[in-house]
């Protein structure tokens, strides 16, 4: 048997590949092709199975979501692990989405980039995936701000000013006791995250 030290070629380099649209992805869920217990998200037309959620990740998401809800009140909707439509082939599940208020609470459609004030990804084993796969797509879609909570590194990275090539402003929050929440130019609120890690 002959093996190669190089990575195998992707099928897309040799054959025609069909990407799944968001509409098809939803149909797959409705018909049971994607079972109710299967956690997936759609990225660039590819269905990605999400790993099981561990205790530190789940607890951090609960902590942040509850603290954000207390802080923003009725000035934003806090969504936890709900879909956000980025384009016709991408509908990720960010850990937390801070959304513009809407009377229907997004019952009539998933939020899109114009509805998002902030996305938060909590990363333990998913750090590389969140940083290298999801964040560039958030930036390309025009999501104004993303927080990446690195549990192992015990740091909060804040990404702002989206461009087609990625976020042009990236900083690590050194002082966690007064992080500004992006709620619009007329609403100024900070959140105390000193006990985040």
């Amino acid at each position: 048997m002959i093996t190669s030290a190089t990575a195998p070629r992707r099928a897309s380099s040799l054959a025609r590949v069909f990407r799944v649209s968001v509409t098809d992805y939803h149909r797959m869920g409705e018909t049971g092709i994607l079972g109710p217990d299967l956690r997936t998200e759609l990225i660039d037309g590819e269905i990605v199975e999400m790993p099981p959620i561990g205790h530190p990740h789940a607890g951090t998401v609960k902590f942040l979501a509850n603290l954000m809800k207390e802080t923003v009140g009725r000035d934003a909707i806090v969504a936890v692990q709900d879909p956000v439509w980025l384009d016709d082939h991408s509908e990720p599940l960010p850990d937390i989405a801070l959304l513009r208020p809407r009377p229907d609470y997004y019952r009539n459609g998933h939020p899109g980039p114009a509805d998002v004030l902030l996305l938060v990804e909590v990363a333990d084993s998913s750090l590389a995936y969140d940083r290298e796969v999801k964040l560039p797509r958030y930036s390309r879609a025009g999501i104004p701000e993303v927080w990446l909570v690195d549990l192992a590194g015990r740091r909060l990275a804040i990404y702002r000013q989206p461009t087609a090539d990625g976020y042009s402003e990236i900083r690590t929050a050194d002082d966690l006791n007064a992080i500004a929440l992006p709620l619009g130019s007329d609403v100024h609120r900070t959140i105390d995250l000193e006990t985040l890690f």
Side-chain angles (χ1 to χ4, degrees):
M1 178 186 313
I2 299 172
T3 60
S4 171
T6 61
R9 293 180 74 177
R10 293 185 58 94
S12 59
S13 69
L14 301 172
R16 187 173 176 196
V17 174
F18 293 93
R19 293 191 310 160
V20 176
S21 70
V22 170
T23 302
D24 292 338
Y25 177 64
H26 284 232
R27 278 195 209 118
M28 292 169 85
E30 292 163 4
T31 59
I33 294 171
L34 298 174
D37 296 331
L38 188 62
R39 286 185 63 241
T40 62
E41 61 185 2
L42 187 66
I43 304 292
D44 290 340
E46 296 179 354
I47 299 169
V48 179
E49 185 175 3
M50 305 304 293
I53 298 173
H55 300 292
H57 183 283
T60 302
V61 170
K62 288 179 189 71
F63 167 77
L64 284 169
N66 280 284
L67 193 56
M68 282 186 179
K69 187 59 194 160
E70 291 170 10
T71 305
V72 301
R74 300 179 71 102
D75 290 325
I77 294 172
V78 179
V80 177
Q81 295 169 341
D82 287 342
V84 172
W85 179 91
L86 297 183
D87 59 41
D88 289 339
H89 292 95
S90 294
E91 194 174 74
L93 297 172
D95 287 311
I96 299 172
L98 204 58
L99 307 171
R100 294 183 192 287
R102 219 168 75 178
D104 72 343
Y105 283 83
Y106 298 92
R107 288 184 183 120
N108 298 311
H110 294 314
D115 302 307
V116 175
L117 300 165
L118 168 70
L119 294 182
V120 179
E121 293 290 357
V122 175
D124 39 21
S125 62
S126 65
L127 182 62
Y129 176 72
D130 290 336
R131 188 175 46 225
E132 297 166 23
V133 175
K134 294 176 83 170
L135 264 72
R137 281 144 185 93
Y138 292 156
S139 183
R140 206 167 48 224
I143 302 297
E145 186 165 332
V146 178
W147 294 359
L148 182 57
V149 180
D150 176 0
L151 293 178
R154 300 178 59 84
R155 72 183 154 257
L156 170 65
I158 299 173
Y159 295 75
R160 292 184 180 133
Q161 298 178 1
T163 72
D165 299 320
Y167 286 92
S168 62
E169 180 187 323
I170 304 167
R171 70 176 184 87
T172 300
D174 296 320
D175 183 4
L176 295 175
N177 71 356
I179 305 291
L181 284 168
L183 297 174
S185 58
D186 56 335
V187 181
H188 301 284
R189 298 251 175 77
T190 60
I191 189 168
D192 184 349
L193 299 179
E194 279 199 291
T195 59
L196 179 60
F197 301 109

